Structures are given as C-alpha cells and as structure tokens.
Amino acid sequence: MSTWGVTYAGDRSAESDASGGFEGTDPAGLPALCAQLNRLSEASSSAIPRDIDECFEGEADRLSIPCSDVTVTALDLDAQYRVTTPTELPDGEYLLRCRSRSGASAHGPTSYLRFPGPASVKPAGEEFVVSFWEPTTVTVGGSSGNRAGPGRITIEPTPSGLATGLTHLAAAHHTTAPVRSHPSFRAHPPLLELGSETSVPSAVAAETPETGIEFLVPPELDRLFVAAPLAYYLGATVEVTDCDAPVLRADDPSIRYEFDDLPGFQHQCAQLLRRAFFLDCQARRVAPDRASSAGLQQLPIDLDALCQLDPAARLEQCLSLSERNLDALLPDWHLSTYAKPTPGRITCLPFLLDRLSLVYLPRATELDQDELLEQTLSDAYTARGETATSGVLKPELQAGQLHAWLAPGTPIHAFKPLPKAYHNRGKYRHRSNDQLQVGVVLNDDAMCEEHQIVSDIYEERAADLPIDVTIQSRLDRAELAATFEAKNDFVHYIGHCEDGGLRCTDGTLDVAEIEESNTQTFFLNACGSYDQGLSLVERGSIAGGVTFKKVLDQQAAKVGTAFARLLVHGFSIERALQLARRRIMMGKDYAVVGDGTYALLPSPKQPAVVKIAETGERYTVSCEMLTAQSNGDRYDLPFDGREILNGDTLEKTVSGAELREVLAAKSLPVIYDGDFHWSEELVEEL
C-alpha cells in the first residue's frame, strides 16, 4: 500500500472504476488525478522537481483538479505565479501545485502536475481544469506533508562550526532563481546538532547551492546569528575571518559590500534581506499575472532581465538601487526574533530560518513598579526556569509584525519561545490523525458561558473540517494530567490557576510533574497561567496562550471565544491571541509561550485583517495580509480581488452601503474603533 492509497494496477483508462486500483481518497487530489489518466504507469520521482512520495505518468487531454487554489511554475524560466482567471500557457514546461483544501496540518498533502504547453488553466468552482490541444503525456506526484527534513548537520559549537552549518542550511532551497522567494520553493533547512567535530552529510552537501557569494564574518557567535537569515536566503558561503566588520563579496560580477560592525550590522542585514527578497518576489512573476507597483516601475530596473540573472548578479542589481526609494516599497516583514547567541540556541536557527525570521540581538529595559502597572502586569509575577531570576522586560522591537524573545527574561509585546518548543515541532511531524483532536476542559462552573460558546465554535467548525471535539468538566488532577498526556492537537482549559498549578476538583496540578505532554498546542485561560504554559512546552508541547496575572471571568470569556474562532480558521497561535486580546481593556495580560508562529490548520486562503475608520460619512478601510508561515506568498484582497504580497496593506475609502455589503459577504476579523469584531457581526452595528 502506498502512502496515498494509490496502488499501480497496470494500464488503465480514464473511465475505469477507481476502486480497482485506488484505495481511499486524498484531499489534495492525487488519486483523482491518476484516475483521469490513460495508460497509467509509475514514474521516477525525479520527474517532479520537488520533495514527493509518489509519482505516476499517463496521458490526458483534460484534467479536473479538486482544489480551489493553485500555483503554476514556468520551469523554463523558473518563475511562478498564481492562477486566478482563465489563463493560456504558451509552449514551455510547467509545474502546477495544488494544496489540500482541508488538511489538518499547516504542512499538509500537496499534489503536483507536470505538463508541456500549450495548455489552458482555468478555475471552475472548487476545481481547476487543465486542457490540452491534443492527448498529452503528463506526470503527477504528491507529497504527504510528513517527509522529514533534508538531513542533520553536526557542528562544533564554535564560530567556525556554525559558519559551516549556515553555509549548508541553504540546501533547503529548491532553486536559486527569484522563485525561491515563494514559500513552496523552500523546504525546511537541515537541523543542526552539536558535536565534537563538524560533519556534513553528503546528501546535504550535494543540495547546497553554489551561488558565488561569500559572507565573511568575524569569529563571534553574535555576528553569525545576525548574519544567518541573509546568508541562508542568498545561499552564501559563510566563512569566519579576522576582518574588522562583515563583508559580502563575489568575483563574477565583482561585489564587495562592507557592513558596519554591531549594532548597525543587524539593521543592515535585515534591510538587505528585505530588499533582495522583495525584488525576487517581483521578478519571479511571469505574464499574464505580473503587475508591478507604480513605485517599482520608477526604479531603474528591468524585471524581465533580472529574472534571468544568477544570484550574484541579482545581488549586484539590488545593491545598485537607491536604498531610500526601494525601502519605501517594502511590505511589512512578518517576524523578528531577538536571540541571545549561545551554543545552546544554535540548534534553534534552522527553525527560525524556516520561517525566514529576521534575527536581532536582544535589548530591553526592565519595567519598574509604575510601568508594570501601566502594562497591566502583576508586580508579584515571576516566571519559572530560564526566567526565574529575570524581571519583566520591555524589548526594543525592530522590523516585524510578530516578535519572538529567544532570550532570558519575561517579555511584553513578544512571544516567549523556548529551544524545546522548536524541537517539539519535529515530534509531531509524523503524527497522522484522521481528525484534529481538540479537548475543551471546564474546571470552574462560574465560567460555563465561555465553555458553551467555545464548545459550539469547535463543533461548528467540525462540520467543515475533520475535527473531533471532546468536552470535559470538573476534572481531578489525574484526569487533567491524562488529558495533556493524551495525543491531543489542542486543549482549551477554562478554569483557575494557583501557585501550585491548575485548579482541579481534588487540588492543583503542576504540569511540570506530568510524564510527557503529547498535546501540541493549548490555551490555559486561567489566572496567572504563564508558569504552567512554560512547563507544558518543556514537557513536550509546541505553543500555547497563557495569562500573566488574574483576569476577570467575563474578560477571559471574551478572549477565549475569539481565540478559539481564529485558531480554527487557520491563524497562528500568536496572531490569534494578538487579535483576540483586543476584545478587552486588559489585553496585555495575555501572552504566548512556545513557538507562536505555529498553526494547527493551513493559513486561510485570504488571511486578511481589516481595519476600519470613519471619515465623515464614508469609511477608510485598510486590508492587511500577514501570516507567519508563508512570507513571499500573494493573496486576493477581500474587497476587489486584487493580489498583494504577504505583509502589504492596501487602503480604500468606501461608502457605508459598500462596506456593509463586503462585510456581510465574508467572515473576516475586523478592527473597528480599536476593538476586535467578526465582519458579519459588525454589519449589524454599522
């Protein structure tokens, strides 16, 4: 039996009964594609230039693909675009990618179709139809989403060892062409392990691109941490040297770009990555889909020519442009991580680069008593473990809409990952649940209203997605421990937290004492649950929402219900809580521990957050697209169907009637007068 439930049964016609050679179904459509092919046969996986589990070849003149969102890559140009309208493709070789509509994982099943042009591709409801002028041989393949990363690199915990590791993390790139800016062309980087000597597996070395770009960095961990995202994206060879400040260089074309030393180096690194990434996003697009911004058209650059250049030549072009003019066009960056450079945190870098996070050195001020009160944090709060001797900190935040504090101390305005959180992600990579396992626990009868509404939200969503909801109440210590130890994808605890742990019917449960948490994510909607959340991550969870101090039951219910709805609609843990806590005045009492970029479900097709402001009798509406998992992707705006890059914001002025029509048509999170609403609910208030 194959991974996909597809078994080869010799020659088949498109009209054959699928049950003869295909078992089960796949939401990404591989069995459905195979069933439409004549003379089906197995094919070499090398025919599809992606990480795939299965590959088949056959003949067709028309294919219907069960998917509502696809991208097409022109392999001859190594350029990629989304198809949103009927599209004619000229002669050439193409690769179409289709993601699962309803998978329960952010890295769910994916199907691929490779075919020659000419051909046409057009959306048709919940399907896409690919048509050829005559019967054509095509190749189909699929990835289950459960493949391991491309390998593990063992490095010495030294600057030299880390430099070697950073060089080979670029093995994750499927290409060095501009299309590398799209998330589907970047696999997870190899993992880094610390050892007594540096060893790079031959498979990883073979996949490491040769770009001709070198990154010379002084032999200090702090400089290497900061350089990591830029080096990774450019595919640069990283070398440590006794230079006064870092240098990017290449021989053909001749490049020598000298950075300032720290602290300026971190800002220069971040901006150069953002510029190079943005230009790749523009250059990768091919007709008929490309439409560059007016600002970009004013820059002295030929996107068609840029698309044909190698990485070093594209870097040269990027460095030649006016920084001020180019920076004015850059979308907001999605994520920045403030990491204290220590050997123990080296192994976190592949996970940060997988999200293409910027890396800054941590700087913060410790809040005094008055500032603590202003930030609505408890003056008695102290955190366990790494933060036990640290106060509450106000980080100096840089570029980025989401912020991670991978350093000692308890931050506000940033989520608190632990090294264990990143490694726990791998623990769940191969968990293959048919349904998303969600547990709702009520351990305080006074909060039964939140319990009922939250339960309804999960059960309502279960009608559209494979979600299995278990509702429990009044659990004792052993029962609550068993809930966290069970294979749950998400546990929503509603109750109270005391000094000894989470309140149960027979006392309190300190989750640090459970054997192992097998619950991926959680929301501890209880007073002062930050400590217990950190313990859950240390015991095996990835991330969760927590509180800093005592919260009122009514306010907790508002946050909890909003968080639940955002989570099951595909928002990451941090983004969901960031929006949900706008429901209350004391929203800063809520925070995320663990990897806040993690999402239980694929990002929504239109991950828009709409902001509305009244301007006389009209309304100013801004749509912001931001997901932590798919930097470089483009999305359709909910108002007029135009596409914008992840991180872009578009502003528009509309009448009250126009606004109500749009809000009623789609279920979207909306910020109006500083408060959080759902679009269909806000219509009734306007």
Side-chain angles (χ1 to χ4, degrees):
M1 174 60 64
S2 72
T3 304
W4 290 86
V6 177
T7 54
Y8 172 56
D11 289 347
R12 297 177 48 85
S13 67
E15 293 76 27
S16 298
D17 179 7
S19 64
F22 303 95
E23 299 182 20
T25 59
D26 165 56
L30 182 61
L33 281 172
C34 288
Q36 299 175 65
L37 299 180
N38 293 314
R39 290 183 288 278
L40 181 70
S41 62
E42 291 182 293
S44 169
S45 60
S46 62
I48 303 279
R50 300 292 178 269
D51 292 332
I52 61 171
D53 301 313
E54 311 252 16
C55 197
F56 300 89
E57 187 177 81
E59 194 174 85
D61 57 10
R62 184 180 184 276
L63 288 166
S64 295
I65 306 170
C67 184
S68 57
D69 186 42
V70 303
T71 59
V72 172
T73 300
L75 294 175
D76 300 336
L77 300 174
D78 220 346
Q80 170 270 338
Y81 62 96
R82 291 179 64 205
V83 176
T84 57
T85 58
T87 301
E88 300 295 325
L89 300 173
D91 288 339
E93 196 74 15
Y94 298 94
L95 182 69
L96 182 148
R97 186 204 70 186
C98 169
R99 282 276 174 88
S100 164
R101 289 196 302 267
S102 57
S105 167
H107 303 283
T110 305
S111 289
Y112 296 96
L113 171 66
R114 180 170 182 168
F115 57 90
S120 69
V121 182
K122 66 178 181 179
E126 290 296 300
E127 295 184 332
F128 271 72
V129 176
V130 181
S131 301
F132 306 99
W133 308 156
E134 59 185 8
T136 301
T137 299
V138 301
T139 305
V140 296
S143 168
S144 65
N146 289 325
R147 295 176 62 85
R152 295 172 180 265
I153 302 171
T154 301
I155 64 170
E156 300 171 79
T158 63
S160 177
L162 178 55
T164 299
L166 294 180
T167 296
H168 292 284
L169 293 185
H173 295 311
H174 294 311
T175 177
T176 59
V179 76
R180 67 185 174 183
S181 59
H182 193 277
S184 65
F185 288 80
R186 302 189 303 270
H188 196 293
L191 302 183
L192 296 178
E193 294 182 340
L194 303 183
S196 58
E197 60 182 24
T198 297
S199 174
V200 180
S202 57
V204 172
E207 293 295 324
T208 302
E210 296 182 3
T211 63
I213 301 172
E214 294 179 310
F215 206 161
L216 308 182
V217 183
E220 303 289 342
L221 287 183
D222 53 1
R223 290 156 179 81
L224 287 163
F225 266 61
V226 166
L230 179 60
Y232 163 72
Y233 184 72
L234 295 179
T237 298
V238 183
E239 297 181 9
V240 293
T241 178
D242 290 330
C243 54
D244 294 331
V247 174
L248 266 178
R249 73 180 186 188
D251 291 331
D252 185 20
S254 179
I255 297 173
R256 182 175 179 83
Y257 182 81
E258 296 186 7
F259 296 90
D260 295 335
D261 201 358
L262 290 171
F265 175 49
Q266 57 189 345
H267 305 292
Q268 293 170 328
C269 254
Q271 283 304 101
L272 182 53
L273 171 55
R274 295 179 65 192
R275 294 170 193 137
F277 185 84
F278 175 72
L279 288 177
D280 275 356
C281 287
Q282 302 302 320
R284 76 173 189 235
R285 314 196 71 205
V286 297
D289 198 45
R290 184 164 72 202
S292 60
S293 67
L296 190 64
Q297 292 170 358
Q298 296 173 9
L299 294 178
I301 191 166
D302 183 338
L303 291 179
D304 292 314
L306 189 68
C307 191
Q308 307 300 321
L309 299 178
D310 62 31
R314 294 203 310 277
L315 176 60
E316 180 189 41
Q317 289 288 305
C318 179
L319 293 172
S320 70
L321 296 175
S322 164
E323 294 179 357
R324 187 170 72 172
N325 292 341
L326 185 53
D327 286 355
L329 304 176
L330 300 179
D332 286 343
W333 200 254
H334 60 301
L335 175 66
S336 290
T337 301
Y338 307 86
K340 183 176 177 60
T342 63
R345 294 187 181 89
I346 286 175
T347 58
C348 299
L349 287 173
F351 300 96
L352 304 185
L353 302 185
D354 180 49
R355 295 289 194 252
L356 213 58
S357 174
L358 302 176
V359 175
Y360 293 95
L361 301 181
R363 288 180 59 88
T365 56
E366 189 164 346
L367 299 181
D368 60 26
Q369 180 68 22
D370 291 338
E371 290 174 308
L372 283 172
L373 291 174
E374 289 177 6
Q375 298 294 337
T376 72
L377 295 173
S378 169
D379 59 342
Y381 174 73
T382 56
R384 171 178 292 143
E386 188 177 47
T387 64
T389 60
S390 302
V392 179
L393 303 175
K394 183 178 180 180
E396 294 183 11
L397 301 181
Q398 307 297 333
Q401 291 222 356
L402 301 181
H403 303 274
W405 187 257
L406 188 60
T410 303
I412 60 170
H413 309 309
F415 64 89
K416 171 73 175 181
L418 302 172
K420 189 72 183 294
Y422 296 116
H423 298 289
N424 289 345
R425 269 167 44 183
K427 168 183 172 181
Y428 300 98
R429 179 184 293 272
H430 299 291
R431 181 183 286 185
S432 55
N433 294 341
D434 293 331
Q435 293 181 303
L436 200 68
Q437 302 296 319
V438 173
V440 183
V441 176
L442 174 65
N443 263 20
D444 181 6
D445 293 339
M447 301 172 71
C448 60
E449 181 180 356
E450 176 189 353
H451 178 260
Q452 185 59 54
I453 297 174
V454 163
S455 300
D456 291 345
I457 289 171
Y458 293 129
E459 291 181 327
E460 177 184 346
R461 192 62 169 146
D464 304 317
L465 293 171
I467 299 178
D468 182 19
V469 184
T470 301
I471 301 172
Q472 301 172 287
S473 60
R474 298 184 59 78
L475 300 187
D476 61 26
R477 297 171 66 252
E479 291 169 331
L480 183 57
T483 297
F484 289 122
E485 291 171 345
K487 291 184 177 180
N488 282 305
D489 295 292
F490 180 69
V491 169
H492 191 137
Y493 171 88
I494 303 166
H496 285 284
C497 184
E498 301 173 358
D499 290 342
L502 302 175
R503 185 187 296 174
C504 301
T505 58
D506 59 347
T508 57
L509 171 68
D510 184 351
V511 296
E513 298 176 0
I514 68 174
E515 183 174 344
E516 180 184 19
S517 174
N518 290 300
T519 291
Q520 285 196 62
T521 58
F522 55 87
F523 185 33
L524 304 182
N525 204 4
C527 300
S529 58
Y530 188 98
D531 228 15
Q532 294 295 305
L534 288 176
S535 293
L536 272 178
V537 174
E538 290 287 2
R539 302 309 295 163
S541 295
I542 298 174
V546 295
T547 69
F548 284 121
K549 68 164 194 171
K550 180 177 177 60
V551 290
L552 301 177
D553 290 353
Q554 186 176 10
Q555 293 191 334
K558 288 183 179 181
V559 175
T561 53
F563 180 80
R565 190 168 177 181
L566 288 159
L567 195 69
V568 296
H569 277 78
F571 286 84
S572 69
I573 299 288
E574 171 68 7
R575 192 61 165 157
L577 195 58
Q578 194 180 65
L579 291 169
R581 61 193 180 196
R582 281 180 171 267
R583 298 300 303 267
I584 64 172
M585 292 290 292
M586 311 292 279
K588 290 186 175 63
D589 288 338
Y590 283 85
V592 167
V593 293
D595 180 7
T597 68
Y598 193 77
L600 280 177
L601 294 165
S603 298
K605 183 181 177 183
Q606 294 173 331
V609 176
V610 179
K611 297 181 180 179
I612 302 173
E614 289 189 53
T615 53
E617 296 182 356
R618 296 177 69 79
Y619 295 86
T620 300
V621 180
S622 62
C623 292
E624 171 191 280
M625 298 289 187
L626 181 73
T627 69
Q629 302 92 357
S630 53
N631 196 35
D633 207 348
R634 291 178 181 267
Y635 299 97
D636 297 329
L637 285 168
F639 285 169
D640 56 14
R642 277 188 289 172
E643 279 192 337
I644 61 173
L645 270 173
N646 186 29
D648 263 336
T649 299
L650 183 73
E651 191 172 282
K652 188 175 183 179
T653 300
V654 298
S655 67
E658 290 174 307
L659 178 62
R660 285 189 290 272
E661 181 181 353
V662 171
L663 294 180
K666 292 178 170 59
S667 182
L668 296 167
V670 178
I671 307 299
Y672 176 64
D673 276 346
D675 294 330
F676 171 79
H677 306 264
W678 284 95
S679 53
E680 63 271 26
E681 298 167 353
L682 183 59
V683 172
E684 302 174 2
E685 300 180 23
L686 295 175

